[in-house]
Amino acid sequence: MGRGREKIEFDVLFVGGGPANLAGAIHLMQLATSKGIHLEVAMIEKGAEIGCHALSGAVLNPIALAELMPDYREKGCPIEVDVRGEELRFLTETSQYRVPFVPRYMKNRGFHIISLSRFVRWLAEIAEGLGVNIFPGFAGKEVRYASDRKTVIGIRTGDKGLGKDGRPRANFEPGIDILAKVTVLGEGAGGSLLREVSGALNIFSGKMPQTFETGIKEVIELPEGNYFLSSRGNVIHTFGYPLGLNTHGGGFIYQMKDNRVSVGFVVGLSYRDPMLDLYEEFMRFKRHPFAQRIISGGRVLEHGARTLTSSGYYSIPKLSVDGAVFVGTGASMLNAPALKGIHTSMKSGMLAAETMIEAFQKGDFTQDTLNCYQELIESTWLKEELYRGRNFAQTVSKEGLIKFFHLGAQYLTGGRGIIDKMPIAKDSDTLKSLRPEASPRKKVKAVYDDVLFVDKLTGVYLSKTQHREDQPSHLIIHDPKLCVEQCFRTYRCPCTRFCPGNVYELEIDENTDEKRLKVNPANCLHCKTCEIKDPYGNITWTCPEGGDGPKYTIV
Ligand code: SF4
């Protein structure tokens, strides 16, 4: 199938249409124009359109955007509302307490609440206006290397039109090789090409493991005149119930325009209880009297889920190799204590752009020149911000109240704390095996009204997720027997609970007690939780056909 494959060449190829790559592409074109350098630049995005797979909180710290485009408001940046004030609430099962102060890194006043999906669409229009060729609906399937096996020369997009059996159908279109002098991987958390580069070139060697959080989020339309829409604190974060203090995570409610709020719940994937169901925790949060006071009478308009990389500074990989650089949250560019990754991702893309301009001026695309990107990060606010949060994710992943003591010490010492380089386990290693005497987690009363409380499948419907059914499964289960034997015995198949899309179902034959793990790849929200949290490394998430997956417009 390799023969006759089409090849296209560019100077720079951006893989992924998120904020890091879009800011990088815009900045690259700005710099190239100012220096009189002509560049052919392309960007591919696996979603059907730019923004289809973009989901985030999302409170935008505009620092990087203002550097990129000081007149962003005049240029029509789609801001939902500005942050008037923020509140931090501690929830118990039936009550709530307002924390009297908000940690400085969580202060958001003057920042903007955005829909990331809308925001990246707007950035894409600007990038196209500057000459970037954007190709949505193309998934990067594999990295292409030069004959030395260490210089990245581009990527191969996925084939389209394969049947479930992997054989070409009548409408088969082979993937194309998109080659470039520099390839920029900005796929977001858990990117499959970055994983491939990591395996081939060991870019995470000596780094702390990347750890993740999964967020489930909805945009809810509220009845007219809801008090929250004019309240002083229009950004609310919560902790405590329903996770308790041993599992990291919490809820958020942000005001949007047009009587809407974005409501979400984030769970640190370092959690230990294999019976924890991420979706049920989100429902518990929504049913809490505090959340109910705001959202009751509302209607869910859109729903989605995504993981983000929370481990921060100590898990940043080597950021360049010959012919490629790595940007955005996939490369750990997220400020976990501030709960923000958009501005840090954008800045990483912009610094990568500055390095690429230098590379084109020198005509040298080896790591010797591209390594300048790492040095630029070290000399900017990006390093300072990430460095201040360097022990945060490691600390909150721990059990017991001692972690609050460590957090306090870090708060007072610019992030250093008592143990600098606080150790952390991989998220796939933290589940505790089930003890027979362990009492199962109380199930949430599964009352769904299909309006404000929607079940998992309705959530998938509201994410507008679609996959062509007759294609090879993009979720590879390496050993199905392991799932129903070892994993069932030890953890009761936690994939059936951590997946927010109801992709994994355990079927048990009533007569024979035979078990089978049924996989519904068509429901997949592309959040990547399964590959990250699976305790046996038995699930690999690969890109389905380009254009498949969620079609977010406002989350
Ligand atoms: Fe997320 Fe994996 Fe479920 Fe898809 S199958 S929705 S990537 S957990």
PDB file of all heavy atoms in Angstrom, residues 137-165:
ATOM      1  N   GLY A 137     -10.160  17.205   9.067  1.00  0.00           N
ATOM      2  CA  GLY A 137     -10.594  15.872   8.616  1.00  0.00           C
ATOM      3  C   GLY A 137      -9.438  14.962   8.248  1.00  0.00           C
ATOM      4  O   GLY A 137      -9.642  13.924   7.635  1.00  0.00           O
ATOM      5  N   PHE A 138      -8.214  15.332   8.645  1.00  0.00           N
ATOM      6  CA  PHE A 138      -7.045  14.477   8.370  1.00  0.00           C
ATOM      7  C   PHE A 138      -6.369  14.123   9.688  1.00  0.00           C
ATOM      8  O   PHE A 138      -5.896  15.005  10.405  1.00  0.00           O
ATOM      9  CB  PHE A 138      -6.043  15.186   7.451  1.00  0.00           C
ATOM     10  CG  PHE A 138      -6.494  15.221   6.019  1.00  0.00           C
ATOM     11  CD1 PHE A 138      -7.295  16.257   5.573  1.00  0.00           C
ATOM     12  CD2 PHE A 138      -6.165  14.210   5.144  1.00  0.00           C
ATOM     13  CE1 PHE A 138      -7.744  16.281   4.260  1.00  0.00           C
ATOM     14  CE2 PHE A 138      -6.614  14.218   3.831  1.00  0.00           C
ATOM     15  CZ  PHE A 138      -7.412  15.266   3.385  1.00  0.00           C
ATOM     16  N   ALA A 139      -6.345  12.833   9.967  1.00  0.00           N
ATOM     17  CA  ALA A 139      -5.726  12.368  11.212  1.00  0.00           C
ATOM     18  C   ALA A 139      -4.294  11.932  10.929  1.00  0.00           C
ATOM     19  O   ALA A 139      -4.054  11.179   9.980  1.00  0.00           O
ATOM     20  CB  ALA A 139      -6.527  11.192  11.763  1.00  0.00           C
ATOM     21  N   GLY A 140      -3.357  12.414  11.747  1.00  0.00           N
ATOM     22  CA  GLY A 140      -1.972  11.942  11.630  1.00  0.00           C
ATOM     23  C   GLY A 140      -1.893  10.527  12.173  1.00  0.00           C
ATOM     24  O   GLY A 140      -2.218  10.284  13.338  1.00  0.00           O
ATOM     25  N   LYS A 141      -1.495   9.583  11.357  1.00  0.00           N
ATOM     26  CA  LYS A 141      -1.521   8.180  11.785  1.00  0.00           C
ATOM     27  C   LYS A 141      -0.146   7.689  12.194  1.00  0.00           C
ATOM     28  O   LYS A 141      -0.002   6.885  13.094  1.00  0.00           O
ATOM     29  CB  LYS A 141      -2.069   7.321  10.643  1.00  0.00           C
ATOM     30  CG  LYS A 141      -2.591   5.972  11.042  1.00  0.00           C
ATOM     31  CD  LYS A 141      -3.916   6.081  11.770  1.00  0.00           C
ATOM     32  CE  LYS A 141      -4.491   4.712  12.113  1.00  0.00           C
ATOM     33  NZ  LYS A 141      -5.759   4.809  12.802  1.00  0.00           N
ATOM     34  N   GLU A 142       0.883   8.120  11.486  1.00  0.00           N
ATOM     35  CA  GLU A 142       2.231   7.703  11.880  1.00  0.00           C
ATOM     36  C   GLU A 142       3.249   8.772  11.526  1.00  0.00           C
ATOM     37  O   GLU A 142       3.017   9.602  10.640  1.00  0.00           O
ATOM     38  CB  GLU A 142       2.621   6.367  11.241  1.00  0.00           C
ATOM     39  CG  GLU A 142       2.614   6.360   9.748  1.00  0.00           C
ATOM     40  CD  GLU A 142       2.941   4.976   9.184  1.00  0.00           C
ATOM     41  OE1 GLU A 142       4.134   4.704   9.014  1.00  0.00           O
ATOM     42  OE2 GLU A 142       2.009   4.218   8.902  1.00  0.00           O
ATOM     43  N   VAL A 143       4.346   8.734  12.242  1.00  0.00           N
ATOM     44  CA  VAL A 143       5.422   9.710  12.019  1.00  0.00           C
ATOM     45  C   VAL A 143       6.335   9.154  10.935  1.00  0.00           C
ATOM     46  O   VAL A 143       6.624   7.953  10.898  1.00  0.00           O
ATOM     47  CB  VAL A 143       6.215   9.936  13.335  1.00  0.00           C
ATOM     48  CG1 VAL A 143       7.372  10.891  13.124  1.00  0.00           C
ATOM     49  CG2 VAL A 143       5.280  10.453  14.421  1.00  0.00           C
ATOM     50  N   ARG A 144       6.773   9.995  10.018  1.00  0.00           N
ATOM     51  CA  ARG A 144       7.721   9.570   8.987  1.00  0.00           C
ATOM     52  C   ARG A 144       9.126  10.035   9.386  1.00  0.00           C
ATOM     53  O   ARG A 144       9.307  11.175   9.846  1.00  0.00           O
ATOM     54  CB  ARG A 144       7.360  10.167   7.614  1.00  0.00           C
ATOM     55  CG  ARG A 144       5.931   9.944   7.170  1.00  0.00           C
ATOM     56  CD  ARG A 144       5.549   8.492   7.086  1.00  0.00           C
ATOM     57  NE  ARG A 144       6.309   7.776   6.084  1.00  0.00           N
ATOM     58  CZ  ARG A 144       6.450   6.460   6.053  1.00  0.00           C
ATOM     59  NH1 ARG A 144       5.911   5.710   7.014  1.00  0.00           N
ATOM     60  NH2 ARG A 144       7.134   5.877   5.099  1.00  0.00           N
ATOM     61  N   TYR A 145      10.074   9.133   9.230  1.00  0.00           N
ATOM     62  CA  TYR A 145      11.459   9.450   9.594  1.00  0.00           C
ATOM     63  C   TYR A 145      12.341   9.373   8.350  1.00  0.00           C
ATOM     64  O   TYR A 145      12.037   8.638   7.394  1.00  0.00           O
ATOM     65  CB  TYR A 145      11.990   8.446  10.620  1.00  0.00           C
ATOM     66  CG  TYR A 145      11.255   8.484  11.940  1.00  0.00           C
ATOM     67  CD1 TYR A 145      10.206   7.612  12.190  1.00  0.00           C
ATOM     68  CD2 TYR A 145      11.610   9.396  12.937  1.00  0.00           C
ATOM     69  CE1 TYR A 145       9.516   7.639  13.386  1.00  0.00           C
ATOM     70  CE2 TYR A 145      10.929   9.418  14.144  1.00  0.00           C
ATOM     71  CZ  TYR A 145       9.879   8.541  14.369  1.00  0.00           C
ATOM     72  OH  TYR A 145       9.190   8.573  15.554  1.00  0.00           O
ATOM     73  N   ALA A 146      13.442  10.095   8.382  1.00  0.00           N
ATOM     74  CA  ALA A 146      14.454   9.949   7.330  1.00  0.00           C
ATOM     75  C   ALA A 146      15.134   8.586   7.507  1.00  0.00           C
ATOM     76  O   ALA A 146      14.883   7.877   8.491  1.00  0.00           O
ATOM     77  CB  ALA A 146      15.484  11.078   7.446  1.00  0.00           C
ATOM     78  N   SER A 147      16.010   8.237   6.567  1.00  0.00           N
ATOM     79  CA  SER A 147      16.625   6.903   6.618  1.00  0.00           C
ATOM     80  C   SER A 147      17.489   6.719   7.875  1.00  0.00           C
ATOM     81  O   SER A 147      17.764   5.597   8.287  1.00  0.00           O
ATOM     82  CB  SER A 147      17.467   6.661   5.361  1.00  0.00           C
ATOM     83  OG  SER A 147      18.366   7.735   5.210  1.00  0.00           O
ATOM     84  N   ASP A 148      17.878   7.827   8.535  1.00  0.00           N
ATOM     85  CA  ASP A 148      18.673   7.678   9.769  1.00  0.00           C
ATOM     86  C   ASP A 148      17.812   7.239  10.957  1.00  0.00           C
ATOM     87  O   ASP A 148      18.326   6.987  12.046  1.00  0.00           O
ATOM     88  CB  ASP A 148      19.409   8.992  10.106  1.00  0.00           C
ATOM     89  CG  ASP A 148      18.455  10.146  10.402  1.00  0.00           C
ATOM     90  OD1 ASP A 148      17.214   9.917  10.447  1.00  0.00           O
ATOM     91  OD2 ASP A 148      18.925  11.275  10.570  1.00  0.00           O
ATOM     92  N   ARG A 149      16.476   7.174  10.773  1.00  0.00           N
ATOM     93  CA  ARG A 149      15.499   6.747  11.789  1.00  0.00           C
ATOM     94  C   ARG A 149      15.438   7.691  12.987  1.00  0.00           C
ATOM     95  O   ARG A 149      14.871   7.355  14.022  1.00  0.00           O
ATOM     96  CB  ARG A 149      15.784   5.311  12.304  1.00  0.00           C
ATOM     97  CG  ARG A 149      15.705   4.217  11.287  1.00  0.00           C
ATOM     98  CD  ARG A 149      14.355   4.073  10.642  1.00  0.00           C
ATOM     99  NE  ARG A 149      13.259   3.885  11.579  1.00  0.00           N
ATOM    100  CZ  ARG A 149      12.000   4.286  11.349  1.00  0.00           C
ATOM    101  NH1 ARG A 149      11.692   4.911  10.228  1.00  0.00           N
ATOM    102  NH2 ARG A 149      11.055   4.082  12.238  1.00  0.00           N
ATOM    103  N   LYS A 150      16.037   8.845  12.870  1.00  0.00           N
ATOM    104  CA  LYS A 150      15.931   9.773  14.006  1.00  0.00           C
ATOM    105  C   LYS A 150      15.528  11.189  13.592  1.00  0.00           C
ATOM    106  O   LYS A 150      15.212  12.013  14.449  1.00  0.00           O
ATOM    107  CB  LYS A 150      17.216   9.782  14.845  1.00  0.00           C
ATOM    108  CG  LYS A 150      18.423  10.371  14.185  1.00  0.00           C
ATOM    109  CD  LYS A 150      19.611  10.281  15.124  1.00  0.00           C
ATOM    110  CE  LYS A 150      20.820  11.041  14.610  1.00  0.00           C
ATOM    111  NZ  LYS A 150      20.655  12.472  14.449  1.00  0.00           N
ATOM    112  N   THR A 151      15.538  11.454  12.280  1.00  0.00           N
ATOM    113  CA  THR A 151      15.094  12.770  11.821  1.00  0.00           C
ATOM    114  C   THR A 151      13.636  12.668  11.367  1.00  0.00           C
ATOM    115  O   THR A 151      13.311  11.892  10.474  1.00  0.00           O
ATOM    116  CB  THR A 151      15.956  13.255  10.631  1.00  0.00           C
ATOM    117  OG1 THR A 151      17.318  13.254  11.043  1.00  0.00           O
ATOM    118  CG2 THR A 151      15.527  14.642  10.178  1.00  0.00           C
ATOM    119  N   VAL A 152      12.777  13.457  12.026  1.00  0.00           N
ATOM    120  CA  VAL A 152      11.361  13.450  11.639  1.00  0.00           C
ATOM    121  C   VAL A 152      11.225  14.251  10.346  1.00  0.00           C
ATOM    122  O   VAL A 152      11.709  15.381  10.243  1.00  0.00           O
ATOM    123  CB  VAL A 152      10.496  14.080  12.760  1.00  0.00           C
ATOM    124  CG1 VAL A 152       9.048  14.218  12.311  1.00  0.00           C
ATOM    125  CG2 VAL A 152      10.591  13.244  14.032  1.00  0.00           C
ATOM    126  N   ILE A 153      10.559  13.659   9.345  1.00  0.00           N
ATOM    127  CA  ILE A 153      10.404  14.383   8.072  1.00  0.00           C
ATOM    128  C   ILE A 153       8.927  14.646   7.746  1.00  0.00           C
ATOM    129  O   ILE A 153       8.608  15.170   6.687  1.00  0.00           O
ATOM    130  CB  ILE A 153      11.067  13.623   6.899  1.00  0.00           C
ATOM    131  CG1 ILE A 153      10.498  12.200   6.786  1.00  0.00           C
ATOM    132  CG2 ILE A 153      12.585  13.621   7.041  1.00  0.00           C
ATOM    133  CD1 ILE A 153      10.887  11.494   5.488  1.00  0.00           C
ATOM    134  N   GLY A 154       8.029  14.296   8.650  1.00  0.00           N
ATOM    135  CA  GLY A 154       6.610  14.568   8.413  1.00  0.00           C
ATOM    136  C   GLY A 154       5.748  13.486   9.020  1.00  0.00           C
ATOM    137  O   GLY A 154       6.177  12.774   9.945  1.00  0.00           O
ATOM    138  N   ILE A 155       4.544  13.379   8.514  1.00  0.00           N
ATOM    139  CA  ILE A 155       3.622  12.360   9.050  1.00  0.00           C
ATOM    140  C   ILE A 155       2.868  11.721   7.882  1.00  0.00           C
ATOM    141  O   ILE A 155       2.844  12.252   6.768  1.00  0.00           O
ATOM    142  CB  ILE A 155       2.602  12.950  10.044  1.00  0.00           C
ATOM    143  CG1 ILE A 155       1.750  14.035   9.375  1.00  0.00           C
ATOM    144  CG2 ILE A 155       3.290  13.554  11.249  1.00  0.00           C
ATOM    145  CD1 ILE A 155       0.408  13.593   9.023  1.00  0.00           C
ATOM    146  N   ARG A 156       2.274  10.578   8.172  1.00  0.00           N
ATOM    147  CA  ARG A 156       1.366   9.944   7.201  1.00  0.00           C
ATOM    148  C   ARG A 156      -0.036  10.037   7.766  1.00  0.00           C
ATOM    149  O   ARG A 156      -0.263   9.714   8.948  1.00  0.00           O
ATOM    150  CB  ARG A 156       1.768   8.482   6.985  1.00  0.00           C
ATOM    151  CG  ARG A 156       0.813   7.733   6.066  1.00  0.00           C
ATOM    152  CD  ARG A 156       1.397   6.412   5.638  1.00  0.00           C
ATOM    153  NE  ARG A 156       2.550   6.622   4.758  1.00  0.00           N
ATOM    154  CZ  ARG A 156       3.334   5.642   4.298  1.00  0.00           C
ATOM    155  NH1 ARG A 156       3.089   4.389   4.647  1.00  0.00           N
ATOM    156  NH2 ARG A 156       4.344   5.908   3.506  1.00  0.00           N
ATOM    157  N   THR A 157      -0.981  10.499   6.965  1.00  0.00           N
ATOM    158  CA  THR A 157      -2.365  10.560   7.447  1.00  0.00           C
ATOM    159  C   THR A 157      -2.992   9.175   7.341  1.00  0.00           C
ATOM    160  O   THR A 157      -2.500   8.305   6.603  1.00  0.00           O
ATOM    161  CB  THR A 157      -3.201  11.581   6.641  1.00  0.00           C
ATOM    162  OG1 THR A 157      -3.302  11.131   5.293  1.00  0.00           O
ATOM    163  CG2 THR A 157      -2.573  12.964   6.685  1.00  0.00           C
ATOM    164  N   GLY A 158      -4.082   8.982   8.043  1.00  0.00           N
ATOM    165  CA  GLY A 158      -4.729   7.670   8.065  1.00  0.00           C
ATOM    166  C   GLY A 158      -5.440   7.369   6.750  1.00  0.00           C
ATOM    167  O   GLY A 158      -5.928   8.269   6.061  1.00  0.00           O
ATOM    168  N   ASP A 159      -5.488   6.079   6.420  1.00  0.00           N
ATOM    169  CA  ASP A 159      -6.266   5.653   5.255  1.00  0.00           C
ATOM    170  C   ASP A 159      -7.744   5.908   5.532  1.00  0.00           C
ATOM    171  O   ASP A 159      -8.195   5.835   6.667  1.00  0.00           O
ATOM    172  CB  ASP A 159      -6.072   4.147   5.009  1.00  0.00           C
ATOM    173  CG  ASP A 159      -4.626   3.811   4.662  1.00  0.00           C
ATOM    174  OD1 ASP A 159      -3.920   4.695   4.136  1.00  0.00           O
ATOM    175  OD2 ASP A 159      -4.212   2.659   4.925  1.00  0.00           O
ATOM    176  N   LYS A 160      -8.496   6.143   4.467  1.00  0.00           N
ATOM    177  CA  LYS A 160      -9.949   6.258   4.598  1.00  0.00           C
ATOM    178  C   LYS A 160     -10.587   5.192   3.733  1.00  0.00           C
ATOM    179  O   LYS A 160     -10.077   4.887   2.650  1.00  0.00           O
ATOM    180  CB  LYS A 160     -10.436   7.638   4.146  1.00  0.00           C
ATOM    181  CG  LYS A 160      -9.987   8.762   5.052  1.00  0.00           C
ATOM    182  CD  LYS A 160     -10.615  10.089   4.660  1.00  0.00           C
ATOM    183  CE  LYS A 160     -10.164  11.174   5.631  1.00  0.00           C
ATOM    184  NZ  LYS A 160     -10.796  12.455   5.394  1.00  0.00           N
ATOM    185  N   GLY A 161     -11.687   4.630   4.205  1.00  0.00           N
ATOM    186  CA  GLY A 161     -12.415   3.658   3.389  1.00  0.00           C
ATOM    187  C   GLY A 161     -11.993   2.215   3.612  1.00  0.00           C
ATOM    188  O   GLY A 161     -12.253   1.360   2.775  1.00  0.00           O
ATOM    189  N   LEU A 162     -11.342   1.935   4.769  1.00  0.00           N
ATOM    190  CA  LEU A 162     -11.056   0.536   5.107  1.00  0.00           C
ATOM    191  C   LEU A 162     -12.291  -0.071   5.776  1.00  0.00           C
ATOM    192  O   LEU A 162     -13.001   0.618   6.521  1.00  0.00           O
ATOM    193  CB  LEU A 162      -9.877   0.440   6.075  1.00  0.00           C
ATOM    194  CG  LEU A 162      -8.495   0.789   5.526  1.00  0.00           C
ATOM    195  CD1 LEU A 162      -7.480   0.818   6.661  1.00  0.00           C
ATOM    196  CD2 LEU A 162      -8.066  -0.209   4.448  1.00  0.00           C
ATOM    197  N   GLY A 163     -12.543  -1.351   5.521  1.00  0.00           N
ATOM    198  CA  GLY A 163     -13.643  -2.030   6.193  1.00  0.00           C
ATOM    199  C   GLY A 163     -13.221  -2.477   7.580  1.00  0.00           C
ATOM    200  O   GLY A 163     -12.048  -2.372   7.953  1.00  0.00           O
ATOM    201  N   LYS A 164     -14.168  -3.016   8.328  1.00  0.00           N
ATOM    202  CA  LYS A 164     -13.881  -3.504   9.688  1.00  0.00           C
ATOM    203  C   LYS A 164     -12.740  -4.524   9.681  1.00  0.00           C
ATOM    204  O   LYS A 164     -11.985  -4.638  10.638  1.00  0.00           O
ATOM    205  CB  LYS A 164     -15.129  -4.198  10.247  1.00  0.00           C
ATOM    206  CG  LYS A 164     -15.927  -3.328  11.199  1.00  0.00           C
ATOM    207  CD  LYS A 164     -16.958  -4.191  11.907  1.00  0.00           C
ATOM    208  CE  LYS A 164     -17.991  -3.402  12.663  1.00  0.00           C
ATOM    209  NZ  LYS A 164     -17.581  -2.222  13.348  1.00  0.00           N
ATOM    210  N   ASP A 165     -12.662  -5.300   8.569  1.00  0.00           N
ATOM    211  CA  ASP A 165     -11.635  -6.334   8.473  1.00  0.00           C
ATOM    212  C   ASP A 165     -10.278  -5.767   8.055  1.00  0.00           C
ATOM    213  O   ASP A 165      -9.312  -6.503   7.861  1.00  0.00           O
ATOM    214  CB  ASP A 165     -12.080  -7.409   7.464  1.00  0.00           C
ATOM    215  CG  ASP A 165     -12.427  -6.806   6.098  1.00  0.00           C
ATOM    216  OD1 ASP A 165     -12.225  -5.569   5.937  1.00  0.00           O
ATOM    217  OD2 ASP A 165     -12.891  -7.537   5.211  1.00  0.00           O
TER     218      ASP A 165
END
